[in-house]
Amino acid sequence: MTATATTTTTATTTTTRTTTTTATAAAAEAQGDSRDSTSSRQSETVISLQGQQQHQEVVTGKINEGKQQQSSLEKKLWRRIADIIIHYLKQYWFLVGLGTVIGLAWAFPQVGKTNGAIEAQYTVKWGAVIIIFLLSGLGLEVKVMFHTILRWRLHLVVQIMNFIFMPFFAYGIVRFFLKVGADLDMSVYQGFMIAFSTSTTVSSNAVMTRNANGNDSAALVNAALGNVLGIFVSPALMQVFGDDTNVFTPGTRGTVDYLSVLKTLGLTVLLPLVVGQVIRYFFPRQVKYLAAKLHFSIINSLALLCMVWSVFCDGVASNAFHQMSGADIIAIIGVDIFMYLLGCSACIALARVPWPGKSTPRLIKKWRFSRQDAVAIMYCGATKTVSLGIPLINVLYSDKSFGMVGVLSLPLLMYHIIQLFIGNFQVPFLKRWIEKTLKEIDQEESPLSNRSNNDTPPSEEENASLPINSTRRRTAV
């Protein structure tokens, strides 16, 4: 019995220990589960925070990328605007300079006026003119001059349009205004006659002709020829128009002293032009190098701006411009635009002679110039020069007030600005007009080239359709 009790006690103790061990294991397991749960929650919290941080970084990156793209677009836009401004400033820098020197003349007229701070009657009215025509002489190709000078028919048309058609048509407009009693100052009429009695421009006509793929060598020859003839023809025209007392009232007519005019224009215009040609003839390579290195055309334009500046200084200093009304300015601009467009149209019509119908008379075909020549005729026949015009006014009105020179120069200056604006606007249209004909010539020549590749002689009809004279430069007929 005692043994049984002992066994029972032992079993009970064992059961108690087992129960205790089980409870302890369960508690440990529960505690482990609790720790795992806490660790899991912490891990989830960390992952959530990392996810939020990554999302915020992505959003911030996109915002920064958007700002960078916007900043890049703004930079491209401003760069594009700057490129456009620089392009037009380079293309029309002379007009910008013209406005600048006129503004300076209004602000500081005492500097550039005659007998002023820089003695402009010598430094500008002699020095600048000599520089302009010396550089013009250096810039003209002697061989091209001799080669093109023989085309007398082209030169005759240009000079007739420039020295006869333009001034006498302008004279008709002035007489019309006087007939209808237009309320304009008499100096406007006189300025018109002086402006349209001058010769063609020195260089801008050749530049625009070249840009339009026209015959620039013909333009260069007529620029030189016109300015040489202008020394003699322009004073003669002023003598003819000056006899009309309705236009040039007593006391307002310039003094045409041919000896003084020829002496002054000969020393400032003709002599520098000849000297420049002689230097270029003997030293062609050195002159070309200096022309490219020093940019003769820019120096030429700067000298011209100095002349305009001095003229306006005289006009402002003497209060001469105050007598000009708004109607006078509008009339000057309107007549100048009309005369330039009329001159261009008349030159093209005379050079190409339009004929209705398909069958053009043989005489008309023989008279017509090529389209390259027509462009040169237009730019040389319709343009007028400030380089010779202002010295001419200075000589003719040397005994008058200095302000009178500025007022009389205004129609010529406005015409110069208008011909630069419209002339450059015409360039792409004239270029396409010439290229269209050149393409047609290429198409006409293509059958012959195809036959030559096949070693087959062309037919008589194809030979007749080709140009008779073979030249290195194609001509748009």
Side-chain angles (χ1 to χ4, degrees):
M1 187 152 178
T2 303
T4 303
T6 302
T7 303
T8 303
T9 304
T10 303
T12 304
T13 303
T14 302
T15 303
T16 304
R17 288 177 180 175
T18 303
T19 304
T20 303
T21 302
T22 304
T24 303
E29 184 178 356
Q31 188 178 1
D33 292 341
S34 176
R35 288 176 181 175
D36 292 341
S37 176
T38 303
S39 177
S40 176
R41 290 174 185 174
Q42 290 177 351
S43 300
E44 290 176 358
T45 304
V46 171
I47 293 173
S48 177
L49 291 174
Q50 289 178 349
Q52 292 177 0
Q53 186 177 1
Q54 290 177 354
H55 177 71
Q56 187 176 0
E57 289 177 355
V58 171
V59 172
T60 305
K62 289 183 177 180
I63 293 174
N64 291 334
E65 185 179 355
K67 289 181 179 180
Q68 290 177 356
Q69 290 179 353
Q70 184 178 1
S71 177
S72 177
L73 289 174
E74 290 178 354
K75 288 181 180 179
K76 288 181 180 179
L77 177 62
W78 285 111
R79 192 181 298 114
R80 176 63 177 168
I81 294 173
D83 291 341
I84 293 174
I85 293 174
I86 292 173
H87 169 74
Y88 282 104
L89 284 177
K90 286 181 178 180
Q91 187 173 1
Y92 299 107
W93 73 269
F94 182 82
L95 299 178
V96 175
L98 200 60
T100 302
V101 298
I102 292 174
L104 291 173
W106 280 97
F108 311 103
Q110 302 300 323
V111 178
K113 72 170 188 175
T114 302
N115 297 320
I118 63 170
E119 297 291 336
Q121 69 273 19
Y122 303 115
T123 56
V124 176
K125 294 174 183 176
W126 276 75
V129 176
I130 290 174
I131 289 174
I132 288 172
F133 284 94
L134 176 63
L135 295 180
S136 298
L138 291 172
L140 295 174
E141 185 69 48
V142 181
K143 293 181 180 179
V144 173
M145 292 272 291
F146 284 121
H147 176 74
T148 313
I149 198 69
L150 299 177
R151 302 191 60 188
W152 62 270
R153 190 166 63 96
L154 186 148
H155 309 320
L156 184 64
V157 170
V158 170
Q159 303 310 324
I160 287 176
M161 294 299 298
N162 200 256
F163 284 120
I164 296 179
F165 176 79
M166 295 291 285
F168 281 95
F169 201 98
Y171 179 66
I173 292 177
V174 169
R175 292 291 299 177
F176 172 77
F177 281 147
L178 291 172
K179 189 71 174 178
V180 298
D183 187 18
L184 299 177
D185 192 87
M186 293 303 297
S187 61
V188 175
Y189 300 136
Q190 297 162 12
F192 281 144
M193 298 319 306
I194 295 171
F196 293 106
S197 296
T198 59
S199 61
T200 186
T201 57
V202 178
S203 59
S204 60
N205 50 12
V207 172
M208 291 186 289
T209 301
R210 186 182 305 113
N211 292 338
N213 287 344
N215 190 346
D216 55 333
S217 60
L220 283 170
V221 170
N222 279 280
L225 179 62
N227 280 274
V228 172
L229 291 176
I231 299 174
F232 308 96
V233 177
S234 295
L237 288 172
M238 292 308 302
Q239 178 71 35
V240 172
F241 297 132
D243 291 336
D244 188 347
T245 56
N246 292 319
V247 180
F248 292 88
T249 56
T252 62
R253 177 179 175 178
T255 304
V256 185
D257 183 356
Y258 277 103
L259 184 60
S260 176
V261 169
L262 294 179
K263 177 183 176 182
T264 303
L265 296 182
L267 291 175
T268 58
V269 177
L270 184 59
L271 182 61
L273 192 66
V274 173
V275 170
Q277 280 286 276
V278 172
I279 295 174
R280 172 140 191 157
Y281 181 78
F282 288 103
F283 307 99
R285 292 183 180 178
Q286 293 85 343
V287 169
K288 287 182 179 180
Y289 174 78
L290 289 175
K293 197 74 175 177
L294 301 179
H295 300 286
F296 281 178
S297 60
I298 295 179
I299 298 175
N300 200 325
S301 298
L302 291 175
L304 183 57
L305 288 176
C306 288
M307 290 175 54
V308 175
W309 169 65
S310 178
V311 167
F312 269 83
C313 283
D314 284 332
V316 174
S318 60
N319 294 322
F321 290 119
H322 291 288
Q323 72 185 49
M324 305 289 289
S325 65
D328 295 333
I329 301 298
I330 293 174
I332 290 173
I333 296 174
V335 171
D336 282 349
I337 292 175
F338 173 77
M339 284 298 299
Y340 178 75
L341 295 177
L342 175 69
C344 291
S345 303
C347 288
I348 292 293
L350 183 60
R352 297 294 297 171
V353 188
W355 187 264
K358 295 182 179 180
S359 58
T360 305
R362 183 180 179 84
L363 184 62
I364 299 296
K365 288 183 178 179
K366 190 174 181 180
W367 165 262
R368 282 177 177 170
F369 294 88
S370 68
R371 294 191 179 187
Q372 287 100 327
D373 290 342
V375 170
I377 291 171
M378 187 200 81
Y379 277 126
C380 292
T383 54
K384 295 294 180 179
T385 180
V386 177
S387 304
L388 182 63
I390 292 178
L392 177 64
I393 298 172
N394 285 324
V395 173
L396 295 179
Y397 291 87
S398 58
D399 57 341
K400 301 293 190 299
S401 66
F402 300 127
M404 176 65 72
V405 176
V407 173
L408 294 175
S409 303
L410 196 56
L412 179 58
L413 292 173
M414 292 302 303
Y415 191 83
H416 188 76
I417 294 172
I418 288 167
Q419 71 188 15
L420 287 177
F421 262 123
I422 301 179
N424 281 285
F425 179 77
Q426 292 170 318
V427 165
F429 298 98
L430 294 171
K431 191 174 183 178
R432 285 197 293 269
W433 182 54
I434 292 174
E435 289 176 348
K436 181 181 177 182
T437 304
L438 293 178
K439 289 179 180 178
E440 293 175 356
I441 293 175
D442 290 338
Q443 291 175 357
E444 291 178 359
E445 291 177 347
S446 59
L448 178 60
S449 62
N450 292 334
R451 283 184 176 274
S452 62
N453 292 333
N454 296 327
D455 296 328
T456 305
S459 64
E460 295 181 359
E461 291 80 2
E462 289 172 347
N463 274 329
S465 67
L466 297 174
I468 298 176
N469 296 324
S470 176
T471 59
R472 296 181 61 184
R473 181 175 180 176
R474 294 179 302 169
T475 302
V477 295

